[in-house]
Amino acid sequence: MERTTSGFLPTSATVVQHLDLGTVHITRTQARRSRAEGGDYRDPGDALVWAFVLRGRVSVRQSRHVLDTDVGAMSVKHFRRATSFQYTPDFQALSIRMEAESLGLRPRALDALSSMAFPVGGGVPRMLWSMAGNALQHASDLTPATAGAVARSAVDFTAAFVDDFLGRLTPTEVERRNVVALALRHIDVYAADARLTPAKVADGAHVSLRSLQKAFRAESRSVATSILEARLARATRLLADSAPSTPIEQIAERSGFSSPARFSRAFRERYATTPSDWRREHGLPDLAADLTVPHARSPQQLIDGVRTLP
């Protein structure tokens, strides 16, 4: 499969299952088995892709380098830099996609990660693979808070793996990373509370607000933005899982926004659409609108109608 000017085509592979966790996406793909199959593959764009090969083999070309990843191995690719990929007819893979900037990696570090395949027999790769597989298996049971925690855990695990691989963290950096991880977990748990502020997150992480903001800046993050992203991720889950008749005001309140206007404005800035339009595209069907109840002129007619049911 060759990259085109607009990325890899939708027919490049078949998507078996996809889970949107906001800043992190978990996808299971397989080789196309016929020309009629496929058409739903999405180019990862600027994402960093952690791919676990479940069956077969995939070969990804990046510049002059080609990496073969066999069953039972994990590869890491900044897919914007990939020019083509090929797979065997029995190919199946589980992948975790996240924003490349979320790990703050420089090109040289990305080249080092992309140059080899890693066994999934144990350690962080095994934990990542297990977590991604369980998230897909129980996707319908994930609450917005749990979905946010899974996304955050994926970033934390991959960051830890990168740090171990590159050996780049000093004790001070480890302590800073732990503070940020604790703060993000606090945000995941309490994002639905409209009273949550950076100061309260600092209290939850047992550090001063100044120290927390300094730690976040070192990770190219913002405490306020992280709170907003957690609320928006929760809102998308609620919109997807709620009935079309659920008021947007209720979604806003349950997501931690102080007003529907602020929610709608933040949602549009992040997703370039309104909450209502997003729910129409991604949410549950309006089953109630499809139901027609015959009008019974009398109680006896209603009883007679029930008796005719099979």
Side-chain angles (χ1 to χ4, degrees):
M1 306 297 169
E2 300 289 334
R3 175 182 288 280
T4 67
T5 54
S6 58
F8 290 104
L9 298 175
T11 54
S12 297
T14 298
V15 175
V16 179
Q17 190 176 1
H18 177 77
L19 177 59
D20 184 348
L21 299 175
T23 57
V24 172
H25 294 251
I26 300 176
T27 307
R28 183 170 180 176
T29 56
Q30 67 181 27
R32 290 183 68 203
R33 298 174 182 175
S34 68
R35 290 183 177 273
E37 187 179 89
D40 49 4
Y41 178 80
R42 294 185 180 181
D43 183 89
D46 195 42
L48 196 62
V49 180
W50 302 71
F52 306 85
V53 178
L54 307 177
R55 289 185 181 180
R57 167 190 289 187
V58 62
S59 302
V60 181
R61 176 178 291 278
Q62 183 174 306
S63 186
R64 296 181 179 180
H65 177 71
V66 178
L67 177 66
D68 294 330
T69 307
D70 293 291
V71 60
M74 176 190 79
S75 65
V76 186
K77 290 293 181 184
H78 186 197
F79 238 73
R80 187 183 65 181
R81 309 167 85 193
T83 56
S84 67
F85 66 87
Q86 294 180 329
Y87 45 67
T88 56
D90 59 340
F91 170 74
Q92 289 187 16
L94 181 67
S95 66
I96 302 174
R97 301 180 180 185
M98 61 184 65
E99 298 174 358
E101 62 183 23
S102 62
L103 299 183
L105 296 176
R106 296 182 178 180
R108 183 173 295 181
L110 286 170
D111 288 340
L113 278 171
S114 302
S115 64
M116 60 185 297
F118 303 90
V120 189
V124 174
R126 179 76 178 185
M127 288 187 285
L128 276 171
W129 168 77
S130 178
M131 181 181 65
N134 279 311
L136 281 183
Q137 184 178 357
H138 302 287
S140 61
D141 299 325
L142 295 182
T143 64
T146 305
V150 171
R152 175 52 39 209
S153 296
V155 174
D156 289 343
F157 274 131
T158 53
F161 178 82
V162 169
D163 292 335
D164 288 342
F165 178 72
L166 299 177
R168 66 180 185 175
L169 285 188
T170 65
T172 300
E173 290 171 327
V174 170
E175 183 179 356
R176 183 194 70 214
R177 179 67 62 80
N178 288 339
V179 167
V180 172
L182 181 59
L184 291 172
R185 282 195 291 271
H186 188 85
I187 290 172
D188 287 335
V189 173
Y190 296 104
D193 186 347
R195 298 168 297 178
L196 183 67
T197 63
K200 290 189 176 181
V201 175
D203 290 340
H206 311 294
V207 296
S208 68
L209 177 58
R210 183 178 179 181
S211 296
L212 182 67
Q213 291 173 330
K214 183 179 179 180
F216 269 69
R217 281 196 301 269
E219 300 281 330
S220 299
R221 299 175 184 272
S222 158
V223 183
T225 300
S226 296
I227 294 174
L228 176 61
E229 288 292 333
R231 286 171 174 162
L232 288 172
R234 178 180 177 84
T236 58
R237 292 286 299 180
L238 289 173
L239 287 168
D241 296 340
S242 64
S245 59
T246 304
I248 294 299
E249 292 80 1
Q250 188 178 116
I251 299 294
E253 181 181 0
R254 293 175 61 191
S255 301
F257 288 91
S258 58
S259 72
R262 289 188 177 183
F263 169 54
S264 296
R265 183 168 59 252
F267 197 94
R268 181 185 287 275
E269 289 177 356
R270 178 66 173 83
Y271 299 107
T273 187
T274 66
S276 297
D277 288 343
W278 192 96
R279 178 163 59 184
R280 274 192 288 270
E281 182 178 354
H282 302 280
L284 297 171
D286 190 356
L287 298 178
D290 297 332
L291 296 177
T292 57
V293 181
H295 177 66
R297 289 191 294 259
S298 69
Q300 187 59 48
Q301 285 181 325
L302 182 59
I303 294 172
D304 292 341
V306 171
R307 287 173 177 168
T308 61
L309 293 176

